[in-house]
Amino acid sequence: NLELVRTILREVGESDGLISFVKDRPGHDRRYAMDASKARRELGWAPERDLATGIGETIAWYRAHRDWWDPLLGEGFRDYYRRQYEER
């Protein structure tokens, strides 16, 4: 997760200083990992782009389509965010 966050911050020109660490929640997994070896082996799947390229393209899409996601940041989202993260 931390590596991904740092990749995104570099892509958008921000510093690691924006990262804030929070206390683990009960039952929260300590490690997240993806292993695509089974999909590669059994399905012949392979990614079309590397992570850095995909992140860059995703960020570019969101920058070009603000009209799609901006309404999602309304008061309902802010209330949800406060309940989930700020009031703990």
Side-chain angles (χ1 to χ4, degrees):
N1 288 348
L2 191 54
E3 180 183 342
L4 181 58
V5 168
R6 286 184 171 139
T7 299
I8 293 168
L9 288 171
R10 276 193 307 273
E11 186 67 34
V12 299
E14 295 290 347
S15 76
D16 287 1
L18 289 177
I19 298 172
S20 63
F21 295 90
V22 297
K23 191 167 89 171
D24 280 339
R25 297 176 295 212
H28 206 212
D29 292 338
R30 294 223 174 258
R31 182 174 184 271
Y32 296 97
M34 295 183 67
D35 179 3
S37 62
K38 185 174 182 180
R40 290 174 189 266
R41 184 177 61 252
E42 295 185 15
L43 303 173
W45 176 85
E48 293 180 0
R49 51 192 57 76
D50 62 36
L51 179 63
T53 301
I55 292 293
E57 290 174 357
T58 300
I59 291 169
W61 187 92
Y62 276 91
R63 284 179 168 157
H65 296 91
R66 186 177 183 118
D67 59 315
W68 179 84
W69 58 265
D70 196 47
L72 301 175
L73 299 179
E75 190 59 34
F77 172 79
R78 287 191 292 274
D79 286 344
Y80 171 82
Y81 187 87
R82 278 192 289 275
R83 284 193 312 274
Q84 294 300 313
Y85 301 102
E86 292 178 2
E87 297 173 2
R88 290 181 175 227

